[in-house]
C-alpha cells in the first residue's frame, strides 16, 4: 500500500472533487537558466558552466515525472533572472494565501513582482510581508504532512524572525529551525516532510536546539536521517508525488530505506541545477496545500 493512502486525512464531501484536490505544481522553464553570480557555496566556480541543452533535458524529464501526478502550471521565465527556475522560492502557499518571497540577495529581488503577479492572477490572496524581512518561501517554509505545523528554516536566507512573522499570517504553529551549514542554506536542501508524518532529513545541518525540536515532534520511527554523502546528492530535495518521491539521486541504501517506509524513489538527474545549488524540490512549488 502506498504511504499517501495509509494516512490520507478524512476529507469533507465538498472537498472531494477531482478539480479541488488534484495537485497543481508550479514550474518555470529554464530558458535563461545559468550560474551568473554566487549566492551559495554550490555556485562557486560554476559561473557560465551549465550546459543549456542538458539543463533543458533534465528539466523536461522532471516535468514529465511531475505531470504524471499533478497538473504542471508554468510561470513565464524572464530574461536576466537565471534563478527564476527555482519556483520553490516564489513564495509560501497555504490554502488560498500566498506569501511572496522577499529575497535576501539583490540578484533575485526582481523575481518578486513576477511571482506576485502569478499568484494574483491565480486568485491567491497575497499576504503583506514586512519590507525588510528576508523570507524565501517554500525554500525555507515546509508544511508537515503528519502534524498541523509548518517548519521554517532561518539563519542563512530567511531571517530569524521570519517564522514568527509567518505564524501571524497562516494561523498555524510555525516551528523555526536554525540552519548552520552554508551548503544547506535553504530548509528544503536538508529537510523533507513526507506523507504520513515521515521526515527525511540531514541532522548536522541544524543546531542542537533545532534537532531537539525535530526529535520532540517527529517520533523516531518516522525519522529518516541521512548521511552526508546522500545530503550532498540533495536526496532531501525531493518532491512527494502520490507515494513516489522524485529526487536528483540517492544511494541504494537510502532508496531501500525509503521503499521500506512506503515511498518509491524516482531518480531524476539534475546535475546542471545542482551547479546553482538546487534540485528537484527547488524546481517545484505545490499550489494546492490544505
Ligand atoms: N541559486 C539559487 C539560490 O541560491 C538556488 C535556489 C534553490 N532553491 C531552493 N528552494 N533550495 O537562491
Amino acid at each position: 500500500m502506498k504511504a499517501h493512502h495509509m494516512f490520507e486525512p478524512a476529507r469533507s464531501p465538498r472537498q472531494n472533487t477531482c478539480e479541488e484536490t488534484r495537485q497543481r505544481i508550479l514550474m518555470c522553464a529554464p530558458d535563461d537558466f545559468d550560474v551568473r553570480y554566487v549566492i551559495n557555496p554550490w555556485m562557486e566556480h560554476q559561473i557560465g558552466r551549465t550546459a543549456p541543452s542538458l539543463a533543458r533535458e533534465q528539466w523536461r524529464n522532471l516535468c514529465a515525472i511531475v505531470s504524471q501526478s499533478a497538473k504542471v502550471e508554468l510561470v513565464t521565465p524572464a530574461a536576466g533572472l537565471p534563478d527564476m527556475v527555482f519556483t520553490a522560492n516564489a513564495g509560501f502557499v497555504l490554502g488560498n494565501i500566498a506569501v511572496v518571497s522577499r529575497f535576501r540577495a539583490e540578484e533575485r529581488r526582481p523575481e518578486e513582482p513576477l511571482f506576485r503577479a502569478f499568484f494574483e492572477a491565480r486568485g491567491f490572496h497575497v499576504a503583506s510581508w514586512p519590507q525588510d524581512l528576508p523570507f524565501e518561501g517554500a525554500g525555507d517554509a515546509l508544511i508537515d504532512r503528519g502534524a498541523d505545523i509548518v517548519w521554517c528554516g532561518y539563519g542563512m536566507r530567511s531571517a530569524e524572525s521570519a517564522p514568527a512573522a509567518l505564524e501571524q499570517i497562516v494561523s498555524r504553529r510555525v516551528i523555526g529551525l536554525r540552519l548552520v551549514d552554508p551548503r544547506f542554506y535553504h530548509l528544503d536542501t536538508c529537510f523533507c516532510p513526507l506523507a504520513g508524518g515521515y521526515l527525511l532529513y540531514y541532522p548536522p545541518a541544524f543546531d542542537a536546539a533545532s534537532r531537539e525540536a525535530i526529535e520532540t515532534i517527529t517520533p523516531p520511527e518516522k525519522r529518516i536521517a541521512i548521511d552526508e554523502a546522500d545530503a550532498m546528492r540533495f536526496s532531501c530535495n525531493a518532491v512527494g508525488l502520490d507515494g513516489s518521491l522524485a529526487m536528483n539521486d540517492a544511494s541504494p541504501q537510502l532508496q531501500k530505506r525509503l521503499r521500506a517506509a512506503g515511498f518509491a524513489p524516482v531518480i531524476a538527474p539534475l546535475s546542471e541545477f545542482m551547479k546553482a545549488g538546487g534540485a528537484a524540490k527547488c524546481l517545484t512549488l505545490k499550489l494546492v496545500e490544505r
Side-chain angles (χ1 to χ4, degrees):
M1 190 163 23
K2 287 181 186 169
H4 76 291
H5 288 314
M6 285 193 280
F7 303 100
E8 195 82 282
R11 290 183 195 283
S12 73
R14 205 191 65 80
Q15 281 183 306
N16 215 359
T17 67
C18 260
E19 208 33 57
E20 285 179 30
T21 54
R22 193 176 183 215
Q23 186 54 269
R24 292 182 288 128
I25 293 187
L26 179 64
M27 295 185 71
C28 176
D31 292 10
D32 199 35
F33 169 69
D34 197 359
V35 177
R36 295 210 195 103
Y37 46 77
V38 176
I39 56 172
N40 69 55
W42 300 83
M43 300 172 99
E44 273 163 36
H45 313 296
Q46 298 293 356
I47 290 186
R49 301 188 84 157
T50 66
S53 58
L54 181 55
R56 177 157 298 277
E57 188 185 314
Q58 293 177 336
W59 183 88
R60 282 209 187 114
N61 180 47
L62 177 68
C63 192
I65 293 166
V66 170
S67 304
Q68 288 171 11
S69 317
K71 177 175 187 289
V72 173
E73 295 216 17
L74 296 171
V75 59
T76 311
L81 297 176
D83 274 334
M84 196 177 164
V85 286
F86 298 112
T87 51
N89 302 126
F92 173 79
V93 168
L94 185 56
N96 189 38
I97 297 174
V99 183
V100 178
S101 286
R102 177 85 9 108
F103 287 99
R104 183 172 288 273
E106 198 74 57
E107 291 89 337
R108 293 199 67 182
R109 273 188 214 143
E111 296 176 37
E112 292 172 15
L114 304 177
F115 286 131
R116 167 183 280 269
F118 171 85
F119 289 124
E120 284 173 350
R122 287 299 186 284
F124 284 95
H125 168 73
V126 174
S128 56
W129 185 263
Q131 184 57 41
D132 298 318
L133 191 66
F135 171 64
E136 299 201 354
D140 273 328
L142 301 174
I143 298 165
D144 197 84
R145 306 294 178 193
D148 238 4
I149 57 168
V150 174
W151 304 93
C152 185
Y154 66 88
M156 297 282 165
R157 293 294 184 82
S158 297
E160 182 160 2
S161 53
L166 186 62
E167 193 168 67
Q168 294 299 310
I169 294 170
V170 298
S171 59
R172 197 176 279 197
R173 199 168 146 221
V174 178
I175 313 238
L177 298 175
R178 185 186 289 278
L179 298 167
V180 295
D181 183 331
R183 296 171 303 174
F184 305 105
Y185 59 94
H186 274 143
L187 184 63
D188 70 0
T189 63
C190 53
F191 187 96
C192 181
L194 298 174
Y198 281 91
L199 176 67
L200 179 63
Y201 77 123
Y202 176 58
F206 302 91
D207 73 356
S210 303
R211 279 203 300 269
E212 208 179 295
I214 294 167
E215 289 164 14
T216 305
I217 291 167
T218 312
E221 69 278 10
K222 294 285 172 90
R223 300 198 295 259
I224 306 173
I226 71 170
D227 64 16
E228 187 180 19
D230 275 323
M232 292 298 284
R233 296 181 181 105
F234 268 17
S235 301
C236 287
N237 199 251
V239 193
L241 300 160
D242 287 345
S244 73
L245 206 51
M247 54 175 69
N248 169 66
D249 197 9
S251 63
Q253 300 91 293
L254 177 56
Q255 292 193 43
K256 203 173 147 195
R257 287 168 71 203
L258 287 168
R259 274 192 293 268
F263 304 97
V266 176
I267 304 303
L270 293 162
S271 62
E272 300 319 288
F273 301 96
M274 295 282 291
K275 293 172 184 172
K281 161 64 171 60
C282 306
L283 292 165
T284 65
L285 177 69
K286 289 184 177 164
L287 295 174
V288 180
E289 296 284 14
R290 296 215 154 76

